[in-house]
Amino acid sequence: MKNCEYQQIDPRALSVSPMSAQNRAEMKAQRSRRKWEVFPGKNRFFCDGRIIVARQSGVLPLTLGLIVVTCGLFFAFDCPFLVEHLTVFIPVIGGVLFLFAVISLLRTSFTDPGILPRATPEEAADIEKQIDTSGSSTYRPPPRTKEILINQQVVKLKYCFTCKMFRPPRTSHCSLCDNCVERFDHHCPWVGNCVGKRNYRFFYSFIISLSFLTSFIFGCVVTHITLRSQEGKSLIQAIQESPLVICFFSIWSILGLSGFHTYLVASNLTTNEDIKGSWSSKRCTEESGNPYSYNNIITNCCVTLCGPMPPSLIDRRGFVPLVEASPAASATEIELPPFLAKNDSNMCTRSTKDVLARMVHAFDSRGLCPPGTPKTTPVGVEVSSSPSAGCPLFSRSSRKRDSLHSSNPAFRLASPSPSLSRNTMILGEGPDVGFIPIP
Amino acid sequence: LRPPAVSSKVFVQRDYGSGTISKFQTKFPSELESRLDKQQFDETIQTLNNLYAEAEKLGGKSYLEGCLACLTAYTIFLCMETHYEKVLKKISRYIKDQNEKIYAPRGLLLTDPIERGLRVVEITIYEDRSIGSGR
């Protein structure tokens, strides 16, 4: 070990910020914003970040409308007759199926599908360092891939230029939502959201319950017409004009979709992989199978539908630290952890720091802060930006924040230490800065 | 006494060799050689990997939770904490503990991977300060 003294880092110690009283007052006057307000993807948020949807709601209102109208007509016209002639359980079953379908639909639409937060500039620089061996700063490198072995199968990981990271396996970037989504299945316009790792089970239960619901309604309507026709033949023509034919066709498409997704679930595939034919036996010599499959239908089903529910990785309801313009700060200063003094400008300029200093000023971080922790005090944080991009510098300060909320209000992470919270902010679409290789 | 300045950051990337499960590489970064023992680093990463494996474990308990959730149209998640979340809290406590006992005395800081979208384990290296030297 080297013969030097290390400054003991006390994770709980927060030094008194030598900020001026005026700055403090300014910060307090500014409204604190939640992270969903500065989210870089094209999603929209409601209920103060609790609900997340894609930018275009697509035909979600139409889907809901169709379901509600169809069920409404069923309850209004078919149920009275069938309750009289058959059993009272008909509307009960119909009601349960309807509720299940609608709740699943809303859950699918409003849940974070498994969005991966974008890489922080330091991470991006680190990755850049590892792959960039030559080239000038203005040259944009060709698309990068990285090959890894998963269960003796070669899998190519692609580099996402938007999110500045190598996509994990089975992750895909949705252009409509402008996010990388884990275990990306497809972007469903009917549901108005991407279908990915976190909401696939809701989507599946939605289409299954919808299949049951439509089949049930179809069956009841047919029974109704049959029973009525036994009473009086003149009714047949009138009922033949009913939307039975439309129902008939929509049922087959829903049943077809359910069947397709049942096949996907049983083989642990995503729609994306199936369409691209990623794991089909293209090569005659080598048998390329799905490396994620457990080769057991029941296990695959259980894993996809009943597996543990992963948490939301984007922190929607956490607070964004306030940004203060600091034109006097030098361009080589880099972002400091929250407990460092704001005007600690004697930063050493080692080569990695120079790279960081030239990075774009958009950051993303997920900060954890326990509620009511007395040790979290506002401190100043400074951030660098690329002088070539001409972006103004910002200094940020952390402030006491509420505990995290994800789409699941029950999910609360108590922060073990305020020092672990890196206070950063996404400033929308920042300018794309070319990476500069370290000499 | 001036607080320490950030020297650099090391990122421990994910290990996808076993599939999409959360697992981090155990390769010892060269930047930490002067500060930390390989064995300590290994132990930290292995424990983290084990904890994540526990969170994502497929077994009777997780299936039961999944089936119960399905039957209640997933509304049960609104009032109940999932097993994964419980383990994430455990991981947070472990990281805090490790920071206090091992990393902070060496001028290092571990960042909880969940703060980085489970992409990396970020280790911040603070510049070493010999007694008497200042910057």
Side-chain angles (χ1 to χ4, degrees), chain A residues 77-89:
Chain A
F77 294 108
D78 295 300
C79 279
F81 181 86
L82 291 169
V83 165
E84 210 179 287
H85 284 77
L86 286 179
T87 168
V88 75
F89 285 114

Side-chain angles (χ1 to χ4, degrees), chain A residues 119-132 144 159 163-166 351-360 362-363 433-438, chain B residues 9-11 13 31 120:
Chain A
T120 58
E122 294 98 357
E123 276 178 64
D126 189 64
I127 294 173
E128 195 72 27
K129 205 167 56 172
Q130 284 168 24
I131 37 181
D132 212 14
R144 306 157 185 166
Y159 183 79
C163 303
K164 307 262 191 305
M165 61 177 175
F166 277 100
S351 56
T352 45
K353 279 190 185 176
D354 285 341
V355 173
L356 293 176
R358 292 188 202 111
M359 293 299 295
V360 71
F363 293 85
V433 176
F435 292 113
I436 301 158
I438 297 170
Chain B
K9 290 188 194 189
V10 181
F11 297 98
Q13 300 285 344
E31 293 93 330
V120 287

Side-chain angles (χ1 to χ4, degrees), chain A residues 35-43 45 117-118 177-179 364 426-429:
Chain A
K35 285 186 183 165
W36 63 264
E37 299 181 55
V38 295
F39 187 69
K42 291 182 191 164
N43 292 90
F45 299 87
R118 299 191 182 180
C177 304
D178 204 24
N179 292 315
D364 182 20
I426 302 167
L427 299 172
E429 251 105 66

Side-chain angles (χ1 to χ4, degrees), chain A residues 301-439:
Chain A
C301 291
C302 287
V303 163
T304 314
L305 303 172
C306 302
M309 182 72 182
S312 175
L313 296 174
I314 54 170
D315 170 24
R316 295 195 301 277
R317 288 181 45 84
F319 280 103
V320 169
L322 290 178
V323 163
E324 225 180 68
S326 169
S330 81
T332 54
E333 282 166 349
I334 66 166
E335 179 188 358
L336 304 178
F339 52 82
L340 294 186
K342 174 187 156 189
N343 58 1
D344 182 10
S345 54
N346 294 336
M347 298 296 294
C348 50
T349 52
R350 293 179 201 153
S351 56
T352 45
K353 279 190 185 176
D354 285 341
V355 173
L356 293 176
R358 292 188 202 111
M359 293 299 295
V360 71
H361 60 269
F363 293 85
D364 182 20
S365 165
R366 182 181 167 118
L368 303 179
C369 207
T373 305
K375 288 162 187 158
T376 311
T377 57
V379 284
V381 174
E382 266 179 321
V383 145
S384 74
S385 75
S386 164
S388 59
C391 305
L393 283 173
F394 298 94
S395 69
R396 300 168 185 165
S397 58
S398 71
R399 42 155 56 203
K400 207 168 180 180
R401 291 171 298 164
D402 299 338
S403 55
L404 276 194
H405 295 269
S406 69
S407 68
N408 182 354
F411 174 46
R412 286 183 173 64
L413 268 185
S415 167
S417 162
S419 68
L420 293 180
S421 57
R422 300 287 312 280
N423 302 304
T424 57
M425 186 174 102
I426 302 167
L427 299 172
E429 251 105 66
D432 222 335
V433 176
F435 292 113
I436 301 158
I438 297 170

Side-chain angles (χ1 to χ4, degrees), chain A residues 40-227:
Chain A
K42 291 182 191 164
N43 292 90
R44 288 186 301 163
F45 299 87
F46 300 101
C47 287
D48 201 19
R50 289 186 183 88
I51 291 175
I52 175 173
V53 292
R55 181 205 285 196
Q56 295 122 5
S57 59
V59 291
L60 172 66
L62 177 67
T63 312
L64 265 173
L66 277 174
I67 297 173
V68 168
V69 163
T70 314
C71 290
L73 289 173
F74 167 72
F75 285 122
F77 294 108
D78 295 300
C79 279
F81 181 86
L82 291 169
V83 165
E84 210 179 287
H85 284 77
L86 286 179
T87 168
V88 75
F89 285 114
I90 300 236
V92 171
I93 295 170
V96 167
L97 284 172
F98 168 72
L99 273 174
F100 205 87
V102 169
I103 291 174
S104 301
L105 170 64
L106 294 177
R107 245 350 221 162
T108 312
S109 303
F110 298 150
T111 304
D112 167 20
I115 296 172
L116 277 177
R118 299 191 182 180
T120 58
E122 294 98 357
E123 276 178 64
D126 189 64
I127 294 173
E128 195 72 27
K129 205 167 56 172
Q130 284 168 24
I131 37 181
D132 212 14
T133 50
S134 63
S136 68
S137 57
T138 52
Y139 166 66
R140 188 182 168 126
R144 306 157 185 166
T145 55
K146 192 162 79 167
E147 283 189 1
I148 56 167
L149 261 183
I150 298 178
N151 292 335
Q152 283 83 48
Q153 187 91 22
V154 174
V155 174
K156 269 196 184 144
L157 299 185
K158 287 192 187 155
Y159 183 79
C160 182
F161 281 100
T162 315
C163 303
K164 307 262 191 305
M165 61 177 175
F166 277 100
R167 283 189 213 124
R170 309 192 97 174
T171 303
S172 195
H173 191 95
C174 176
S175 48
L176 287 163
C177 304
D178 204 24
N179 292 315
C180 269
V181 177
E182 283 192 291
R183 202 185 184 278
F184 181 75
D185 196 85
H186 66 285
H187 182 100
C188 186
W190 295 96
V191 153
N193 199 2
C194 289
V195 176
K197 183 162 91 166
R198 293 187 76 243
N199 64 352
Y200 187 74
R201 63 191 74 193
F202 306 143
F203 176 74
Y204 187 74
S205 62
F206 165 61
I207 55 175
I208 294 290
S209 57
L210 194 65
S211 308
F212 278 114
L213 180 66
T214 46
S215 312
F216 180 75
I217 290 179
F218 186 73
C220 289
V221 167
V222 166
T223 313
H224 182 188
I225 291 170
T226 316
L227 289 174

